[in-house]
Amino acid sequence: MGRIAVTGTSSFLGSRILRRLVEARGADAVVTVDIAAPPVALGGVRHQMLDLTLPGADQRLLDVLQDEEVDTVVHAAFFTSPRRDFAYAHELESIGTLHLVAAAAAAGVRHVVLRSYTAVYGARGQNPNFLTEDRRPEVNPSLRWVRDKLEAEQHALAFAKRYPSMGVTILRFATILGSGVHTFYSRILAKRVVPVVFGYDPLVQFLHPEDALAAVDAALAKGPSGIVNVVPRDTLSLRTALHLAEKVTVPVPHPAAYALADLAWNSGIGPAPAGFVDYVRFLFVADGEKAKREMGWTARYRSREALGAYLAYRYPEVGA
Amino acid sequence: MSTRPRVVPLRSRATRSRRPRALLEPVTTRSERPEGPLVSLARLAQTAAQGLSWANLARLQRAVYFAWHSDEVDEFGSDRRFTETLLPLFEFLYTVWWRVETAGIEHVPAEGPGLVVVNHSGVLPYDGLMVKLALRQEHPARRDCRMLALDMFALLPVLAPLLAKSGSVRANPENGERLLTKGELVGVFPEGVKGVGKAFRDRYKLARFGRGGFVRIALRTGAPIVPCAVVGAEEIHPMLANLDWIGRPLGFPYFPITPTFPALGPLGLVPLPSKWSIDFADPMDLSSYGPEAAEDPILVNRLSEEVRSIIQRMIDGRLARRRSVWFG
């Protein structure tokens, strides 16, 4: 059996996947492909320095994958929060994934596991309460953060179709929230005062990191399964989550919310551009039935427990 | 009687030596007169100002929120404590305000899936609430009916979370099918906006039943259809005129002019106390057609039309027997 290559090992999820793989299969079975050395002290893990945004990264990557006899790639090099240098984010996420799947297909890699987000479905008023994998994502085109993720998925699916020897599993994770995570949501939860959209209170899903890792294990064990939602056992209303975290909520009417969000984002204080207001106004709850059916995986934790674990770790003074 | 001015010490000897007093600390040593309301108010304000901090405000918001919400919702966002908080108000509307009378409620299956198809009226979706309450209070099995709410209500600020937390679900085929597959009782208003927002002169004339989506989900899941007629809801907000050009920018497909709204301001939002009746017809079992019949548009349309005429007949029967809008 070939090695497993892991990208994005500096990210929250990537570093944990790496650690888990090393613990389960030994350091020799894993190779990291990243622009930075893995942050965790894992003796003996092979590291290949590689920048996916550079032209020619695909050729370099092909050499690496062949040299290291890689047969499985876990691609987790994605930004969990929207970034202002969206051009770089596009190069890394969309083009980087294109390079990666092209090289993987050429190197005869059997299975590519792609880290994705339930946010790619888009938060829309017209969404059904539970989004299934066959639903066509309809993303606000102004949201580059989401668009790049979706493009990455599409590159992976297109290559899997063209090279039947290579299968993909696209894991659409719900918002991961748990000890040590640093994302868009953790940034919101770090604030004292949180603006909310007046008169709206959508359901949200928070995934415990342990569940996320177990899902990656299940995906690796099961082999290619296409798009799979990785979601917690239930949902939580956003307002409940914010009050459990003892936030002061300030309702903003939705016509003003979009403009204010953009104003705050452009002036450097807001956490996300206007398109994200949809994500605190409408639903984007995904259905976990397929993961259960095809990978035999179900979440152990509820959204409430994932939030509680995060708050207990990060804000022990809050009695959630 | 002495005219000599009396020296009143600002502080009594006993308190002088102690820590400096807060400006408005209660003066108990010389309380010949009870303090005035202004002083009480100022003291209250001062206490509040001293305790004012983001942390306290957050705790206060949290306490207020969890006083009527629980921290757990079901998969469609229904919050049990929230429902229980509002229940007395709804029960008042049910028993006192509209004096709802039901007939044929035993036609609703006691267990397993069922699709209750209801005529829609009344500008605001009180009819859904009352059908839900009827099944909860008067059905022998005390069934919980999940109403499928129109997008215009389910996406409206304030009403959106209110409906979701009190057990309504956004009307779309995926949600309906999911609930029926789980064996739940589901309520649906196939007339949609055309029904609930119809003019007063068109009262009790059923509008077109959408495109038969409700029949399709019943066929796919094998759930029986129970036609249901609500009489009385047309008169709660009689819509004399519709200024939809005001409503549309606010996300509401109509802006009703009723005898009380907007003339009486917020008071115009109080629905009129008509006398209601809710009738349930025999259930229609569609399971013999099989799930693939859902793809047959002619059959779907025929069944939809059949349900519509049953409801229209029930309404006409009630209206013929009704003497008064207010007393039934």
Side-chain angles (χ1 to χ4, degrees), chain A residues 48-262:
Chain A
Q48 293 283 352
M49 207 191 83
L50 198 143
D51 187 347
L52 282 172
T53 62
L54 292 182
D58 45 353
Q59 182 58 55
R60 254 284 275 133
L61 190 58
L62 173 59
D63 297 343
V64 166
L65 295 177
Q66 279 172 339
D67 288 351
E68 300 282 352
E69 294 166 348
V70 169
D71 79 340
T72 306
V73 179
V74 179
H75 184 31
F78 293 95
F79 293 116
T80 41
S81 294
R83 294 172 65 89
R84 289 189 170 76
D85 52 347
F86 50 82
Y88 179 73
H90 177 75
E91 289 303 308
L92 175 67
E93 299 186 332
S94 177
I95 307 302
T97 304
L98 180 63
H99 287 157
L100 183 122
V101 288
V109 167
R110 194 177 47 81
H111 187 193
V112 175
V113 178
L114 190 74
R115 186 247 196 276
S116 188
Y117 299 75
T118 53
V120 301
Y121 288 111
R124 300 171 72 248
Q126 282 71 33
N127 280 345
N129 277 53
F130 290 89
L131 296 155
T132 48
E133 287 82 353
D134 50 11
R135 177 144 186 120
R136 203 165 57 87
E138 286 181 65
V139 170
N140 178 347
S142 73
L143 272 184
R144 293 190 176 87
W145 182 82
V146 185
R147 214 174 57 190
D148 288 335
K149 309 289 190 282
L150 195 58
E151 281 179 18
E153 283 192 5
Q154 284 159 352
H155 292 318
L157 290 173
F159 269 84
K161 203 170 172 188
R162 211 185 307 166
Y163 298 89
S165 62
M166 182 183 80
V168 293
T169 304
I170 294 172
L171 297 177
R172 286 183 177 157
F173 290 95
T175 308
I176 297 176
L177 204 57
S179 29
V181 78
H182 293 285
T183 62
F184 170 62
Y185 274 91
S186 73
R187 272 202 259 166
I188 291 179
L189 291 174
K191 296 201 184 339
R192 183 89 254 179
V193 181
V194 180
V196 292
V197 184
F198 170 77
Y200 289 94
D201 187 10
L203 297 172
V204 290
Q205 291 176 307
F206 293 128
L207 186 69
H208 196 287
E210 275 182 32
D211 277 337
L213 291 175
V216 175
D217 285 347
L220 290 173
K222 172 66 179 56
S225 340
I227 300 171
V228 181
N229 293 334
V230 180
V231 295
R233 269 188 24 226
D234 68 348
T235 58
L236 196 63
S237 100
L238 179 65
R239 218 50 82 81
T240 303
L242 292 176
H243 286 306
L244 283 173
E246 287 196 353
K247 301 291 134 193
V248 175
T249 56
V250 180
V252 181
H254 64 88
Y258 292 90
L260 286 176
D262 245 0

Side-chain angles (χ1 to χ4, degrees), chain B residues 113-132:
Chain B
L115 189 61
V116 181
V117 182
V118 196
N119 61 313
H120 214 358
S121 55
V123 177
L124 285 172
Y126 288 110
D127 45 1
L129 199 63
M130 292 299 115
V131 171
K132 187 186 174 72

Side-chain angles (χ1 to χ4, degrees), chain B residues 166-227:
Chain B
S166 58
S168 283
V169 175
R170 264 200 54 238
N172 57 39
E174 291 93 337
N175 286 348
E177 244 182 272
R178 193 181 175 98
L179 285 166
L180 289 175
T181 312
K182 283 175 60 193
E184 302 232 21
L185 195 60
V186 176
V188 66
F189 301 91
E191 287 174 278
V193 181
K194 300 183 301 302
V196 70
K198 68 167 95 73
F200 189 58
R201 61 173 178 278
D202 295 328
R203 62 189 176 278
Y204 299 120
K205 276 181 241 159
L206 288 189
R208 176 170 55 82
F209 263 22
R211 275 149 292 174
F214 76 98
V215 178
R216 274 196 292 275
I217 61 170
L219 285 168
R220 276 200 212 109
T221 57
I225 287 181
V226 184

Side-chain angles (χ1 to χ4, degrees), chain B residues 39-283:
Chain B
V39 179
S40 307
L41 206 67
R43 180 168 294 130
L44 193 73
Q46 193 199 23
T47 318
Q50 276 169 352
L52 195 66
S53 70
W54 288 119
N56 280 350
L57 191 58
R59 262 178 237 128
L60 181 71
Q61 274 198 352
R62 179 183 166 143
V64 170
Y65 181 83
F66 286 115
W68 62 314
H69 294 79
S70 61
D71 61 352
E72 301 241 321
V73 288
D74 83 341
E75 60 169 8
F76 283 96
S78 163
D79 183 334
R80 195 181 227 173
R81 182 184 284 173
F82 182 84
T83 318
E84 280 166 8
T85 311
L86 295 184
L87 199 60
L89 172 71
F90 298 159
E91 280 179 340
F92 167 80
L93 288 173
Y94 187 86
T95 50
V96 179
W97 200 249
W98 289 316
R99 295 143 286 144
V100 180
E101 189 187 317
T102 60
I105 203 155
E106 67 282 357
H107 293 315
V108 177
E111 56 180 14
L115 189 61
V116 181
V117 182
V118 196
N119 61 313
H120 214 358
S121 55
V123 177
L124 285 172
Y126 288 110
D127 45 1
L129 199 63
M130 292 299 115
V131 171
K132 187 186 174 72
L133 220 55
L135 289 161
R136 187 196 159 107
Q137 314 287 63
E138 305 199 14
H139 191 275
R142 308 219 164 271
R143 291 216 65 173
D144 180 33
C145 184
R146 306 297 298 256
M147 308 309 294
L148 297 186
L150 298 178
D151 277 1
M152 56 171 286
F153 299 123
L155 297 180
L156 206 65
V158 183
L159 208 53
L162 192 101
L163 284 172
K165 284 176 182 176
S166 58
S168 283
V169 175
R170 264 200 54 238
N172 57 39
E174 291 93 337
N175 286 348
E177 244 182 272
R178 193 181 175 98
L179 285 166
L180 289 175
T181 312
K182 283 175 60 193
E184 302 232 21
L185 195 60
V186 176
V188 66
F189 301 91
E191 287 174 278
V193 181
K194 300 183 301 302
V196 70
K198 68 167 95 73
F200 189 58
R201 61 173 178 278
D202 295 328
R203 62 189 176 278
Y204 299 120
K205 276 181 241 159
L206 288 189
R208 176 170 55 82
F209 263 22
R211 275 149 292 174
F214 76 98
V215 178
R216 274 196 292 275
I217 61 170
L219 285 168
R220 276 200 212 109
T221 57
I225 287 181
V226 184
C228 169
V230 176
V231 170
E234 293 275 19
E235 285 90 2
I236 62 173
H237 287 297
M239 183 147 86
L240 304 177
N242 177 7
L243 308 185
D244 57 347
W245 51 272
I246 299 182
R248 264 174 221 287
L250 304 172
F252 212 63
Y254 46 80
F255 185 85
I257 305 296
T258 73
T260 54
F261 182 84
L264 299 186
L267 211 61
L269 294 174
V270 177
L272 300 179
S274 52
K275 163 86 179 164
W276 284 34
S277 67
I278 302 178
D279 295 331
F280 297 89
D282 284 323

